[in-house]
Structure formats: C-alpha cells, structure tokens
Amino acid sequence: MSDPNLIWWIDDWEQVRQNVDQVTEEAVKRVQASSAQARQIQAQIKQDKAVNNNLANFLEFLLKNIKSDDLMAAVYNTFFKVTDPKTWAVYFRKKINNIVIIWFFAPFFRDKINEYNLSNYYDDILPQWNITLGNYLWYIKNLSKKHHDNIPISKESLLNLLYYIMVEFGLLSSLPEKKQQMTDEIKNALK
C-alpha cells in the first residue's frame, strides 16, 4: 500500500516543480527583453559613434581648410567663450555644439557634407542654389530654429564670425576700413 504522506509529498514536490518552471519561463522572457533592449542600445551607441566620427572628420577638414587666422579666432570666440549675461563672467565651454558650428560652413562644402553623411542635419534648411550674400543671410536667419543648445552667443562675436566667413568665401570684400559698416549691414539683414 502506498503511504498517504508520500503521495502528499509528491504532490507538493510537483507543485514546486511547476512553480520553478513558471519562474524560469518568466526569467527567460525578462532576459530576452533585456537582451533586445541591450542590442538596441548598442546599435544606438554605434550609430552615435559613427555620427560623431563624421562630425569630427568634417570639423578636421574645415580646420585644415580655413586659411584666415581672424576666422579661426572668430570661431573660437563665438563657440568656446561664453559670457554670462547676468554676471558678465566669461567662461570656456568644455563641449560645443558641433552641428551648429558646421551649419555656418555647410553651404560652402556641400560635397563634404554629403561625403560625411551629415546632410540629414542640413537638407531642410540648406539653400539649393549658389551661395550669394543674400542667400547666405537668408540661410543664417533660418538656421537657429533647428539645432540650438540654449547657450547664449555674444551678438558681437556672432557678427564678427559671419563677417569673416563671408570674407573667407568671397561674399564680402576684405576692406578693414569697411568692416564695421559691413557688420552693421549684416546685423540689419538678420533682424
């Protein structure tokens, strides 16, 4: 004859085994979900790394091709030096918005923008025609609406940067005695 306690014990053990199987299935589902999420994050990191490499490659190309020390100084003063509008304290940024810097030069280097797969940042605002002074000013006016990092840029530094960009790429003549007049015209055009 069978012992009733033994049957009861076997029934309890079977219930424990079913619970273990159930927990295992839930654990497997959790692990699969975590694994899928990890793969998605890994793919995003790889994509971000590729984009960052492309941004860095374009900036490297740009810095090699800028011949004007005045333009280099204007880029530095506009994007790396920040003045707090409340305290007027000047501080230096550790990280800059690469996309915004590239924006200012993108119309002059369309082939490089395409080569480095950066056109998705600029296509909807990049003029489709030859760059003239009027076209570039239109572009700059519409530029800040897309990627802005809410770090204040000095108007004086920005106007100085625009002046030197326009001189570098032949949109304005380089007459030092006319710089203030041209800067004022740029300022009025951007209002």
Side-chain angles (χ1 to χ4, degrees), residues 91-125:
Y91 60 95
F92 300 95
R93 294 179 67 180
K94 292 180 182 178
K95 185 177 178 187
I96 57 169
N97 191 337
N98 297 332
I99 295 169
V100 173
I101 293 174
I102 292 171
W103 259 348
F104 285 89
F105 297 94
F108 305 106
F109 298 106
R110 290 173 191 266
D111 56 333
K112 288 294 180 182
I113 292 293
N114 290 330
E115 179 182 330
Y116 293 123
N117 297 316
L118 299 173
S119 59
N120 60 323
Y121 290 104
Y122 307 100
D123 276 345
D124 58 340
I125 59 169

Short mmCIF file of all heavy atoms in Angstrom, two decimals, residues 91-125:
data_model
loop_
_atom_site.label_atom_id
_atom_site.label_comp_id
_atom_site.label_asym_id
_atom_site.label_seq_id
_atom_site.Cartn_x
_atom_site.Cartn_y
_atom_site.Cartn_z
N TYR A 91 33.40 82.38 -19.36
CA TYR A 91 33.88 81.03 -19.10
C TYR A 91 34.02 80.30 -20.41
O TYR A 91 33.52 80.73 -21.45
CB TYR A 91 32.97 80.27 -18.12
CG TYR A 91 31.54 80.10 -18.57
CD1 TYR A 91 31.13 78.94 -19.21
CD2 TYR A 91 30.59 81.08 -18.32
CE1 TYR A 91 29.82 78.77 -19.61
CE2 TYR A 91 29.27 80.91 -18.72
CZ TYR A 91 28.90 79.76 -19.37
OH TYR A 91 27.60 79.61 -19.77
N PHE A 92 34.75 79.20 -20.38
CA PHE A 92 35.04 78.44 -21.58
C PHE A 92 34.27 77.13 -21.55
O PHE A 92 34.26 76.43 -20.54
CB PHE A 92 36.55 78.18 -21.69
CG PHE A 92 37.33 79.46 -21.74
CD1 PHE A 92 37.88 80.01 -20.60
CD2 PHE A 92 37.48 80.12 -22.93
CE1 PHE A 92 38.56 81.20 -20.63
CE2 PHE A 92 38.17 81.32 -22.99
CZ PHE A 92 38.72 81.86 -21.84
N ARG A 93 33.65 76.83 -22.67
CA ARG A 93 32.85 75.62 -22.77
C ARG A 93 33.76 74.41 -22.94
O ARG A 93 34.73 74.44 -23.68
CB ARG A 93 31.89 75.71 -23.96
CG ARG A 93 30.85 76.77 -23.77
CD ARG A 93 29.94 76.87 -24.95
NE ARG A 93 29.14 75.64 -25.03
CZ ARG A 93 28.24 75.44 -25.96
NH1 ARG A 93 28.00 76.35 -26.87
NH2 ARG A 93 27.55 74.33 -25.99
N LYS A 94 33.40 73.33 -22.26
CA LYS A 94 34.15 72.08 -22.41
C LYS A 94 33.65 71.31 -23.62
O LYS A 94 34.39 70.56 -24.25
CB LYS A 94 34.00 71.22 -21.16
CG LYS A 94 34.67 71.81 -19.95
CD LYS A 94 34.47 70.90 -18.77
CE LYS A 94 35.11 71.52 -17.54
NZ LYS A 94 34.90 70.71 -16.35
N LYS A 95 32.38 71.49 -23.92
CA LYS A 95 31.77 70.76 -25.03
C LYS A 95 31.02 71.77 -25.88
O LYS A 95 30.32 72.64 -25.36
CB LYS A 95 30.80 69.71 -24.49
CG LYS A 95 30.21 68.84 -25.54
CD LYS A 95 29.33 67.76 -24.94
CE LYS A 95 28.75 66.95 -26.08
NZ LYS A 95 27.77 66.01 -25.63
N ILE A 96 31.16 71.64 -27.18
CA ILE A 96 30.50 72.58 -28.09
C ILE A 96 29.46 71.83 -28.91
O ILE A 96 29.49 70.61 -29.01
CB ILE A 96 31.52 73.26 -29.03
CG1 ILE A 96 32.30 72.22 -29.82
CG2 ILE A 96 32.42 74.18 -28.25
CD1 ILE A 96 33.13 72.79 -30.93
N ASN A 97 28.57 72.59 -29.52
CA ASN A 97 27.55 72.02 -30.39
C ASN A 97 28.13 71.96 -31.81
O ASN A 97 28.07 72.92 -32.56
CB ASN A 97 26.29 72.88 -30.34
CG ASN A 97 25.11 72.20 -31.01
OD1 ASN A 97 25.29 71.34 -31.86
ND2 ASN A 97 23.92 72.60 -30.62
N ASN A 98 28.74 70.81 -32.14
CA ASN A 98 29.41 70.63 -33.43
C ASN A 98 28.48 70.90 -34.60
O ASN A 98 28.89 71.46 -35.61
CB ASN A 98 29.94 69.20 -33.56
CG ASN A 98 30.97 68.87 -32.53
OD1 ASN A 98 31.67 69.75 -32.04
ND2 ASN A 98 31.06 67.61 -32.17
N ILE A 99 27.25 70.47 -34.46
CA ILE A 99 26.29 70.61 -35.56
C ILE A 99 26.09 72.08 -35.89
O ILE A 99 26.05 72.46 -37.06
CB ILE A 99 24.95 69.93 -35.20
CG1 ILE A 99 25.18 68.42 -35.05
CG2 ILE A 99 23.89 70.22 -36.23
CD1 ILE A 99 24.03 67.68 -34.45
N VAL A 100 26.00 72.92 -34.88
CA VAL A 100 25.79 74.35 -35.12
C VAL A 100 27.02 74.96 -35.80
O VAL A 100 26.88 75.75 -36.73
CB VAL A 100 25.45 75.09 -33.81
CG1 VAL A 100 25.40 76.58 -34.01
CG2 VAL A 100 24.11 74.60 -33.28
N ILE A 101 28.21 74.61 -35.35
CA ILE A 101 29.42 75.15 -35.98
C ILE A 101 29.45 74.76 -37.45
O ILE A 101 29.71 75.59 -38.32
CB ILE A 101 30.69 74.66 -35.27
CG1 ILE A 101 30.76 75.25 -33.87
CG2 ILE A 101 31.94 75.02 -36.06
CD1 ILE A 101 31.90 74.73 -33.04
N ILE A 102 29.18 73.50 -37.72
CA ILE A 102 29.22 73.02 -39.10
C ILE A 102 28.18 73.74 -39.95
O ILE A 102 28.40 74.02 -41.12
CB ILE A 102 29.04 71.49 -39.15
CG1 ILE A 102 30.26 70.82 -38.52
CG2 ILE A 102 28.81 70.99 -40.56
CD1 ILE A 102 30.12 69.33 -38.30
N TRP A 103 27.02 74.07 -39.33
CA TRP A 103 25.97 74.78 -40.06
C TRP A 103 26.48 76.02 -40.77
O TRP A 103 26.09 76.29 -41.89
CB TRP A 103 24.95 75.28 -39.06
CG TRP A 103 23.71 74.51 -38.95
CD1 TRP A 103 23.23 73.53 -39.76
CD2 TRP A 103 22.75 74.69 -37.92
NE1 TRP A 103 22.03 73.08 -39.29
CE2 TRP A 103 21.73 73.78 -38.17
CE3 TRP A 103 22.67 75.52 -36.83
CZ2 TRP A 103 20.62 73.68 -37.34
CZ3 TRP A 103 21.57 75.42 -36.02
CH2 TRP A 103 20.56 74.51 -36.28
N PHE A 104 27.29 76.78 -40.09
CA PHE A 104 27.76 78.04 -40.66
C PHE A 104 28.58 77.82 -41.93
O PHE A 104 28.64 78.70 -42.78
CB PHE A 104 28.59 78.82 -39.62
CG PHE A 104 27.74 79.47 -38.57
CD1 PHE A 104 27.40 78.79 -37.41
CD2 PHE A 104 27.25 80.75 -38.76
CE1 PHE A 104 26.60 79.38 -36.45
CE2 PHE A 104 26.44 81.35 -37.79
CZ PHE A 104 26.12 80.66 -36.64
N PHE A 105 29.19 76.65 -42.06
CA PHE A 105 30.07 76.37 -43.19
C PHE A 105 29.46 75.40 -44.19
O PHE A 105 29.97 75.26 -45.30
CB PHE A 105 31.39 75.81 -42.67
CG PHE A 105 32.13 76.79 -41.81
CD1 PHE A 105 31.98 76.78 -40.43
CD2 PHE A 105 32.96 77.74 -42.37
CE1 PHE A 105 32.64 77.70 -39.62
CE2 PHE A 105 33.64 78.66 -41.58
CZ PHE A 105 33.48 78.64 -40.21
N ALA A 106 28.39 74.74 -43.84
CA ALA A 106 27.78 73.70 -44.68
C ALA A 106 27.47 74.17 -46.11
O ALA A 106 27.74 73.43 -47.06
CB ALA A 106 26.53 73.13 -44.02
N PRO A 107 26.93 75.38 -46.31
CA PRO A 107 26.61 75.77 -47.69
C PRO A 107 27.83 75.85 -48.61
O PRO A 107 27.70 75.71 -49.82
CB PRO A 107 25.99 77.17 -47.53
CG PRO A 107 25.51 77.23 -46.13
CD PRO A 107 26.46 76.38 -45.35
N PHE A 108 29.00 76.01 -48.05
CA PHE A 108 30.21 76.15 -48.86
C PHE A 108 30.89 74.82 -49.14
O PHE A 108 31.79 74.74 -49.97
CB PHE A 108 31.20 77.08 -48.14
CG PHE A 108 30.60 78.42 -47.80
CD1 PHE A 108 30.27 78.72 -46.49
CD2 PHE A 108 30.34 79.35 -48.80
CE1 PHE A 108 29.69 79.95 -46.18
CE2 PHE A 108 29.77 80.58 -48.48
CZ PHE A 108 29.45 80.88 -47.18
N PHE A 109 30.44 73.76 -48.45
CA PHE A 109 31.06 72.44 -48.59
C PHE A 109 30.01 71.35 -48.71
O PHE A 109 30.04 70.35 -48.00
CB PHE A 109 31.97 72.16 -47.37
CG PHE A 109 33.11 73.11 -47.22
CD1 PHE A 109 33.08 74.07 -46.22
CD2 PHE A 109 34.21 73.05 -48.06
CE1 PHE A 109 34.12 74.96 -46.06
CE2 PHE A 109 35.26 73.93 -47.91
CZ PHE A 109 35.22 74.90 -46.91
N ARG A 110 29.09 71.51 -49.63
CA ARG A 110 28.02 70.52 -49.81
C ARG A 110 28.56 69.12 -50.09
O ARG A 110 28.03 68.13 -49.57
CB ARG A 110 27.11 70.92 -50.95
CG ARG A 110 26.26 72.09 -50.69
CD ARG A 110 25.54 72.44 -52.01
NE ARG A 110 24.91 73.71 -51.88
CZ ARG A 110 23.65 73.86 -51.54
NH1 ARG A 110 22.91 72.82 -51.31
NH2 ARG A 110 23.13 75.05 -51.42
N ASP A 111 29.60 69.04 -50.92
CA ASP A 111 30.15 67.73 -51.26
C ASP A 111 30.71 67.03 -50.02
O ASP A 111 30.52 65.82 -49.84
CB ASP A 111 31.21 67.85 -52.34
CG ASP A 111 32.34 68.81 -51.97
OD1 ASP A 111 32.11 69.75 -51.17
OD2 ASP A 111 33.47 68.63 -52.48
N LYS A 112 31.34 67.77 -49.13
CA LYS A 112 31.88 67.17 -47.90
C LYS A 112 30.75 66.80 -46.93
O LYS A 112 30.83 65.79 -46.25
CB LYS A 112 32.88 68.10 -47.22
CG LYS A 112 34.18 68.23 -47.96
CD LYS A 112 34.91 66.91 -47.96
CE LYS A 112 36.23 67.02 -48.69
NZ LYS A 112 36.93 65.72 -48.73
N ILE A 113 29.72 67.63 -46.87
CA ILE A 113 28.56 67.31 -46.04
C ILE A 113 27.97 65.97 -46.49
O ILE A 113 27.66 65.10 -45.66
CB ILE A 113 27.49 68.43 -46.10
CG1 ILE A 113 28.01 69.70 -45.43
CG2 ILE A 113 26.17 67.98 -45.52
CD1 ILE A 113 28.20 69.60 -43.93
N ASN A 114 27.84 65.77 -47.79
CA ASN A 114 27.32 64.51 -48.32
C ASN A 114 28.31 63.36 -48.08
O ASN A 114 27.91 62.26 -47.72
CB ASN A 114 27.00 64.64 -49.80
CG ASN A 114 25.80 65.52 -50.03
OD1 ASN A 114 24.90 65.61 -49.20
ND2 ASN A 114 25.77 66.22 -51.16
N GLU A 115 29.59 63.64 -48.29
CA GLU A 115 30.62 62.61 -48.10
C GLU A 115 30.63 62.07 -46.67
O GLU A 115 30.79 60.87 -46.45
CB GLU A 115 31.99 63.19 -48.43
CG GLU A 115 33.14 62.23 -48.26
CD GLU A 115 34.49 62.88 -48.56
OE1 GLU A 115 34.55 63.80 -49.39
OE2 GLU A 115 35.48 62.45 -47.94
N TYR A 116 30.41 62.94 -45.71
CA TYR A 116 30.43 62.54 -44.30
C TYR A 116 29.04 62.20 -43.77
O TYR A 116 28.84 62.09 -42.56
CB TYR A 116 31.07 63.63 -43.44
CG TYR A 116 32.54 63.81 -43.73
CD1 TYR A 116 33.03 65.05 -44.11
CD2 TYR A 116 33.44 62.76 -43.62
CE1 TYR A 116 34.39 65.22 -44.38
CE2 TYR A 116 34.78 62.92 -43.89
CZ TYR A 116 35.25 64.16 -44.26
OH TYR A 116 36.58 64.32 -44.52
N ASN A 117 28.09 62.03 -44.66
CA ASN A 117 26.71 61.63 -44.30
C ASN A 117 26.09 62.54 -43.24
O ASN A 117 25.45 62.08 -42.30
CB ASN A 117 26.68 60.17 -43.81
CG ASN A 117 27.09 59.20 -44.88
OD1 ASN A 117 26.66 59.32 -46.02
ND2 ASN A 117 27.93 58.25 -44.54
N LEU A 118 26.25 63.83 -43.41
CA LEU A 118 25.71 64.80 -42.47
C LEU A 118 24.55 65.58 -43.07
O LEU A 118 24.01 66.47 -42.43
CB LEU A 118 26.80 65.78 -42.02
CG LEU A 118 27.99 65.14 -41.31
CD1 LEU A 118 29.08 66.16 -41.07
CD2 LEU A 118 27.55 64.49 -40.01
N SER A 119 24.15 65.23 -44.27
CA SER A 119 23.12 66.02 -44.97
C SER A 119 21.78 66.00 -44.25
O SER A 119 21.01 66.95 -44.35
CB SER A 119 22.97 65.56 -46.41
OG SER A 119 22.62 64.20 -46.45
N ASN A 120 21.48 64.95 -43.49
CA ASN A 120 20.18 64.90 -42.80
C ASN A 120 20.05 66.03 -41.77
O ASN A 120 18.95 66.40 -41.41
CB ASN A 120 19.95 63.55 -42.15
CG ASN A 120 20.99 63.19 -41.12
OD1 ASN A 120 22.17 63.50 -41.28
ND2 ASN A 120 20.57 62.53 -40.08
N TYR A 121 21.15 66.58 -41.30
CA TYR A 121 21.09 67.70 -40.37
C TYR A 121 20.81 69.02 -41.08
O TYR A 121 20.38 69.98 -40.46
CB TYR A 121 22.42 67.85 -39.61
CG TYR A 121 22.67 66.76 -38.63
CD1 TYR A 121 23.59 65.75 -38.91
CD2 TYR A 121 22.01 66.72 -37.42
CE1 TYR A 121 23.83 64.73 -38.00
CE2 TYR A 121 22.24 65.70 -36.51
CZ TYR A 121 23.16 64.72 -36.81
OH TYR A 121 23.38 63.72 -35.91
N TYR A 122 21.09 69.07 -42.38
CA TYR A 122 21.12 70.34 -43.08
C TYR A 122 20.18 70.43 -44.29
O TYR A 122 19.89 71.52 -44.75
CB TYR A 122 22.55 70.66 -43.54
CG TYR A 122 23.52 70.58 -42.39
CD1 TYR A 122 24.31 69.47 -42.20
CD2 TYR A 122 23.58 71.60 -41.46
CE1 TYR A 122 25.17 69.39 -41.12
CE2 TYR A 122 24.43 71.53 -40.37
CZ TYR A 122 25.23 70.42 -40.20
OH TYR A 122 26.05 70.34 -39.13
N ASP A 123 19.73 69.30 -44.80
CA ASP A 123 18.96 69.31 -46.05
C ASP A 123 17.76 70.24 -46.04
O ASP A 123 17.52 70.95 -47.01
CB ASP A 123 18.49 67.89 -46.41
CG ASP A 123 19.56 67.10 -47.13
OD1 ASP A 123 20.53 67.72 -47.60
OD2 ASP A 123 19.42 65.87 -47.23
N ASP A 124 17.00 70.25 -44.97
CA ASP A 124 15.77 71.03 -44.97
C ASP A 124 16.01 72.53 -44.84
O ASP A 124 15.10 73.31 -45.10
CB ASP A 124 14.82 70.54 -43.88
CG ASP A 124 15.42 70.60 -42.50
OD1 ASP A 124 16.66 70.65 -42.39
OD2 ASP A 124 14.65 70.59 -41.53
N ILE A 125 17.21 72.95 -44.48
CA ILE A 125 17.47 74.39 -44.40
C ILE A 125 18.58 74.84 -45.34
O ILE A 125 18.76 76.03 -45.56
CB ILE A 125 17.83 74.83 -42.96
CG1 ILE A 125 19.06 74.09 -42.47
CG2 ILE A 125 16.67 74.67 -42.03
CD1 ILE A 125 19.63 74.66 -41.19
#
